[in-house]
Amino acid sequence: MSARILVVEDEEALSALLEYNLSKEGFTVSLSADGEDALITVEEEKPDLVLLDWMLPSLSGIEICRRIRARAETREIPVIMLTARGEEDDRIRGLDTGADDYLTKPFSVPELTARVRAVLRRARPTISGEVATFGDLTLDRETRRVRRGSREVHLGPTEFRLLDCLMQRPGRVFSREQLLDLVWGHDVYVEARTVDVHVGRLRKAINRRGERDPIRTVRAAGYALDETYAS
Ligand code: CA
């Protein structure tokens, strides 16, 4: 599972360049050229990071950032602001408004990806590293091994991706539809019920010894990792 980045940029050439390079680096990229549209996308897709241009036609980048920060559901999403040279005061205002970092145009691709990774690492320590942990659960993306305490847990590929997805955002409730998109992919037609079957298999594997279930079923909403479990 790769981090999902929303690029909000009205300059088509730059947004195409960003999409190309970030995808090549393994990120999943969505594009938006307009402020109102960007806010809807942030709300619906809950990206892992927003790359936000300062100068946009309808809403300014600063206003978009302010609105992202104002809503409880989107508050934690990291934002990197893209500014033009000579907007120093604005830059500082940008950080005041809650941007996590800024990049001055023109920037190099390595500079961009380094900043993106650094901000992702700070925001969600589990997402960019190879090993994610939650309570006594450990998931290693490189070796594809999962452990519960000292016990090795054997998971099928779908259960592995499902757990990886939940572990990236402990506490966040994922709907069945979101899990279908994130774990199975947008283009695959699978019934929502299939998610329940695989969550059942995942639970069986990780709770095999009768340990406490770290997965919470949220009625009529979906599934989440129980935050009270890890604390
Ligand atoms: Ca612009």
Side-chain angles (χ1 to χ4, degrees):
M1 284 249 333
S2 58
R4 291 162 307 125
I5 299 180
L6 171 65
V7 174
V8 188
E9 169 61 76
D10 59 316
E11 252 171 85
E12 262 178 57
L14 181 56
S15 104
L17 184 82
L18 289 169
E19 182 184 28
Y20 173 78
N21 285 294
L22 291 168
S23 308
K24 217 173 67 180
E25 290 291 321
F27 297 108
T28 305
V29 183
S30 314
L31 297 179
S32 180
D34 162 83
E36 297 287 355
D37 175 72
L39 284 169
I40 294 169
T41 310
V42 166
E43 195 81 8
E44 283 178 355
E45 294 186 7
K46 305 271 190 318
D48 296 300
L49 185 140
V50 180
L51 267 184
L52 184 56
D53 184 32
W54 182 262
M55 300 293 267
L56 290 162
S58 55
L59 285 175
S60 72
I62 202 164
E63 184 55 30
I64 296 170
C65 190
R66 202 174 274 146
R67 295 202 196 171
I68 291 174
R69 288 290 174 263
R71 307 196 67 139
E73 316 87 78
T74 58
R75 181 168 294 156
E76 307 293 324
I77 297 174
V79 174
I80 298 180
M81 206 65 113
L82 306 178
T83 69
R85 205 184 285 281
E87 290 175 336
E88 266 73 19
D89 288 347
D90 289 350
R91 279 187 199 173
I92 293 162
R93 274 205 291 144
L95 294 175
D96 273 354
T97 328
D100 295 82
D101 202 354
Y102 61 86
L103 265 169
T104 308
K105 296 178 191 175
F107 44 81
S108 70
V109 171
E111 189 185 0
L112 167 75
T113 49
R115 295 287 190 88
V116 164
R117 287 190 199 286
V119 168
L120 281 173
R121 236 183 343 259
R122 279 209 304 269
R124 307 192 199 295
T126 60
I127 205 168
S128 44
E130 292 303 330
V131 178
T133 57
F134 178 77
D136 58 356
L137 279 170
T138 311
L139 178 143
D140 188 325
R141 298 192 177 98
E142 207 158 45
T143 60
R144 300 192 75 78
R145 283 190 157 166
V146 174
R147 309 186 77 84
R148 180 138 198 200
S150 58
R151 173 172 73 89
E152 179 140 8
V153 178
H154 299 281
L155 296 179
T158 304
E159 285 73 39
F160 182 90
R161 286 201 301 275
L162 199 50
L163 181 63
D164 190 1
C165 183
L166 294 171
M167 283 179 79
Q168 287 184 26
R169 302 275 189 92
R172 175 180 158 187
V173 179
F174 290 91
S175 70
R176 289 170 178 80
E177 289 69 28
Q178 284 168 335
L179 289 171
L180 281 176
D181 273 357
L182 293 166
V183 175
W184 280 263
H186 288 282
D187 308 325
V188 184
Y189 182 76
V190 194
E191 278 185 71
R193 218 158 29 89
T194 308
V195 176
D196 301 334
V197 173
H198 285 276
V199 169
R201 290 168 60 139
L202 174 61
R203 276 184 163 137
K204 207 170 151 189
I206 58 180
N207 307 331
R208 186 166 298 258
R209 299 252 170 93
E211 298 101 326
R212 180 174 159 199
D213 187 2
I215 301 172
R216 195 159 67 90
T217 303
V218 184
R219 267 192 79 170
Y223 298 100
L225 277 190
D226 187 352
E227 271 180 311
T228 62
Y229 176 79
S231 53

